[in-house]
Amino acid sequence: MFFRSEPKWEVVEPLRDIGWRIRKRYFLMKTKNQPKERLVLSWADLGPDKYLSDKDFQWIIRLLPSCLHPYIYRVTFATASESSALVIRTFNEKGTLKDLIYKAKPKDPFLKKYCNPKKIQGLELQQIKTFGRQILEALKFLHEKGFPYGHLHSSNVMLEGEMCQLLDLENSLLGLPSFYRSYFSQFRKINTLESVDVHCFGHLLYEMTYGRPPDSVPVDAFPPAPSEAVVAVLEALLSQEACKNGMPTVSRLLQMPLFSDVFLTSSEKPQFKIPTKLKEALKIAKESTEKRLIEEQKLIHQHRRLTRAKSHHGSEEERRKRKILARKKSKHSAFESSEDQTAKSSNSNNSAGSGASSPLTSPSSPTPPSTAAVLWVNDVTQGVSALLPPPAPPPGAPAPPPMNAPTPSLFPPPSVNGTSRGALLSSIQNFQKGTLKKAETCDHSAPRIY
C-alpha cells in the first residue's frame, strides 16, 4: 500500500535480521531519481507503550524529518498508519557505534555480528570522551523538547565521520520496549524516561570502555579503565549505590571531568518545532509510559521478595531449625499435659480423703479391736457423768475444784521409751465395769419454797 501511494521509492533488497527486534523489518532502498543513492527503510508495528491517539501519532511521525540536530541522524521520510510506522534514512556504510566496537559489517545479521566477536577491545580515551559528550548533548536536546526517547544503546548510535548521531526516535512513539528494559525495570528509582536514558548511557559507556556490555547490573567492581574519570562516571550510573538512590541528570554528567573539557566543533543549529497541543499529548503519553514502568517494577519487586522468602524457608538449614523447634514444642506440650494430669489426680485424692477421720494411733502400733470398744464405753460413761450434776462432797471432805479449773489429762503423753503407753493399754484391756463404784447423787433440781 505504501508503494502504491509513493511510487518514487524502489526496493533493492531486504536486509534480513540486521536488528534485534523480531517484529521490525529493514529494506535497502533507492529512489528512481537518484538510483545510486542507498537508503534504509525500517518498518515496525505498534508496541505496548503506545498511548498517543492515532491522529497525534501520525502527526508527530510526519514531523520527524523536520528534526535537525548535529547529533541526531536525519530522517528522510516518515509516515504512519493505525498499526505501524515506516521511516526511511540514508544508508551509512560505516555502520553503527556497535559495528565499530565489534569490527562488524552493517549488513550482516545481528547474531553473527555481535554474539561471537573475534576481538574484544574498547575505544580510545579521546573517542570515549568525544562520543560520550555528543550523545549527552543529543539527550539534553530531546529532554528539553519534552520528546521521550528511552532507546539508547550502541546499535542506535550512527557514526557519521567523527560524530555520533542518535537513531530510531520513532521507537518511543510506537511504544516499543527498550533494549535495556530488563535491567532498569529492577530498580524502582529509575522510573522516568530521563533517568532511563541516563542509565542506558551507563551501559553504552561501559561498552565503549571495555569493548563488551556489563555481565550484570549493578556492577560491584570495575576493571581498569583508560582513565579514573571514566570509572567515576560509571560508578555514578551502574554501581549498587547509584541504582539504589537514582540517576544523575544529563546536565550533571556534562559537568563531570570526563566530558567538561571536550570541545565540540559543530556549527549546525538544532531545530525541532513541536506544536503546543502535540507537546501536551506527548507529555501525557510519557506519563502513561512511566506509570506502566512503575507498576511493572512493583510486580518485579514483589516477585523477588516472594522468591527470596521461598528460597530462605526452603533451605536445608531452615528445615532443620523448624524440625528442632517442632520437637521442642511437642516435648513442652507433653510435659504440660503430664503436669495437668498429676494436678488433677492430686486434687481428686485430697477431696476424697478430706471427710475421713485420721487414725488414733500410728501405723507402727495399731489399736487392737478390743481397745476401740473400751474407748467407746469410756466415752459413753464420761458423757453420762457429764450430764449428771456432781455429787455432794461428804462431810469433812475438801471442796471440789471449780468447773473451769483445768483437769488432768486422762491419757498422759507417751514417753519416749514406750513404757507409759504400754501401761495405759494394759489398764484399758483389764478394765472391768463391775468394779466401778455406784455414784450417790442428791437431786437439788426440785423447786424450793421459803
Side-chain angles (χ1 to χ4, degrees):
M1 297 298 295
F2 167 71
F3 288 114
R4 287 180 183 178
S5 59
E6 299 288 342
K8 66 177 183 177
W9 306 101
E10 184 178 347
V11 174
V12 177
E13 61 176 334
L15 301 174
R16 301 187 184 279
D17 302 325
I18 65 170
W20 64 277
R21 296 186 187 274
I22 297 176
R23 302 182 65 186
K24 191 169 186 178
R25 292 167 175 81
Y26 298 88
F27 299 88
L28 189 63
M29 305 285 295
K30 68 178 181 179
T31 59
K32 293 181 178 180
N33 297 333
Q34 297 177 344
K36 293 184 179 181
E37 184 182 6
R38 292 292 182 264
L39 303 105
V40 175
L41 181 149
S42 62
W43 178 28
D45 295 332
L46 301 179
D49 284 325
K50 191 262 182 183
Y51 294 104
L52 289 169
S53 64
D54 293 340
K55 181 180 178 180
D56 293 335
F57 172 66
Q58 294 178 11
W59 187 6
I60 189 66
I61 287 292
R62 291 189 179 97
L63 286 179
L64 290 179
S66 66
C67 179
L68 301 178
H69 193 279
Y71 309 121
I72 296 178
Y73 202 66
R74 181 76 181 270
V75 175
T76 304
F77 179 85
T79 186
S81 64
E82 296 178 355
S83 59
S84 61
L86 182 148
V87 179
I88 298 176
R89 296 179 176 90
T90 302
F91 178 74
N92 193 323
E93 297 291 342
K94 290 185 177 181
T96 63
L97 180 59
K98 200 174 188 73
D99 294 328
L100 174 65
I101 296 172
Y102 286 80
K103 310 296 189 293
K105 297 179 181 180
K107 291 184 179 182
D108 290 340
F110 186 88
L111 296 179
K112 181 180 179 181
K113 288 187 292 186
Y114 309 129
C115 286
N116 188 21
K118 296 179 180 179
K119 186 178 181 182
I120 298 176
Q121 183 178 0
L123 303 180
E124 297 180 359
L125 179 60
Q126 189 58 41
Q127 288 179 313
I128 295 172
K129 292 166 66 72
T130 303
F131 293 164
R133 176 64 186 265
Q134 293 171 352
I135 294 169
L136 289 175
E137 290 290 345
L139 291 178
K140 182 181 178 182
F141 173 76
L142 293 176
H143 292 174
E144 291 174 351
K145 291 292 182 180
F147 190 94
Y149 186 49
H151 293 268
L152 178 62
H153 58 93
S154 57
S155 293
N156 274 353
V157 179
M158 186 67 74
L159 288 177
E160 185 69 27
E162 295 298 324
M163 290 192 303
C164 279
Q165 297 179 329
L166 298 187
L167 284 171
D168 289 354
L169 299 185
E170 69 276 7
N171 284 355
S172 59
L173 305 177
L174 286 161
L176 300 178
S178 175
F179 185 78
Y180 293 115
R181 189 179 183 89
S182 60
Y183 290 91
F184 59 74
S185 59
Q186 301 178 28
F187 309 109
R188 302 180 70 177
K189 288 294 184 178
I190 308 177
N191 50 20
T192 62
L193 290 184
E194 289 82 3
S195 61
V196 166
D197 285 335
V198 173
H199 181 72
C200 294
F201 178 77
H203 286 261
L204 176 58
L205 182 63
Y206 189 101
E207 193 172 0
M208 287 193 296
T209 304
Y210 302 109
R212 58 181 179 82
D215 296 329
S216 62
V217 176
V219 181
D220 297 328
F222 295 93
S227 171
E228 291 295 329
V230 178
V231 178
V233 177
L234 291 174
E235 288 178 348
L237 301 176
L238 299 179
S239 65
Q240 179 73 35
E241 184 179 358
C243 295
K244 184 178 180 180
N245 298 330
M247 298 288 107
T249 61
V250 173
S251 299
R252 174 71 184 90
L253 291 177
L254 288 171
Q255 295 173 1
M256 298 187 74
L258 183 63
F259 307 115
S260 60
D261 60 348
V262 176
F263 179 71
L264 300 178
T265 58
S266 177
S267 60
E268 184 179 354
K269 185 178 179 180
Q271 181 180 351
F272 191 19
K273 294 182 179 180
I274 303 176
T276 305
K277 185 178 179 181
L278 195 54
K279 281 186 177 180
E280 188 64 25
L282 287 174
K283 181 180 178 181
I284 296 173
K286 174 178 173 293
E287 292 174 352
S288 300
T289 303
E290 293 170 350
K291 182 179 178 181
R292 195 178 84 88
L293 174 61
I294 293 172
E295 292 175 353
E296 182 179 334
Q297 290 172 339
K298 287 181 179 179
L299 292 176
I300 293 174
H301 181 67
Q302 293 173 0
H303 177 71
R304 292 173 69 181
R305 288 183 60 185
L306 182 61
T307 303
R308 285 197 300 265
K310 286 183 178 180
S311 176
H312 175 71
H313 290 290
S315 62
E316 190 65 28
E317 182 179 358
E318 284 298 316
R319 290 179 181 177
R320 186 167 57 252
K321 288 181 180 179
R322 287 198 294 270
K323 287 181 181 179
I324 295 173
L325 184 60
R327 289 196 198 102
K328 289 182 179 180
K329 286 184 178 180
S330 61
K331 289 180 180 179
H332 185 66
S333 59
F335 179 73
E336 287 183 347
S337 61
S338 63
E339 282 188 345
D340 293 342
Q341 291 177 1
T342 305
K344 289 180 181 179
S345 61
S346 176
N347 292 335
S348 62
N349 292 337
N350 291 337
S351 60
S354 61
S357 59
S358 58
L360 295 175
T361 59
S362 62
S364 60
S365 58
T367 306
S370 59
T371 307
V374 173
L375 292 175
W376 178 79
V377 172
N378 194 11
D379 290 341
V380 173
T381 306
Q382 290 181 359
V384 174
S385 313
L387 292 176
L388 296 177
M403 296 298 293
N404 56 359
T407 58
S409 175
L410 181 62
F411 302 104
S415 62
V416 178
N417 55 11
T419 304
S420 299
R421 180 182 293 275
L424 175 61
L425 293 177
S426 179
S427 64
I428 292 173
Q429 290 175 358
N430 297 331
F431 172 74
Q432 294 180 3
K433 186 178 181 182
T435 60
L436 293 175
K437 293 181 181 182
K438 186 177 181 181
E440 294 180 1
T441 59
C442 294
D443 188 5
H444 298 285
S445 60
R448 295 180 181 180
I449 301 174
Y450 297 98

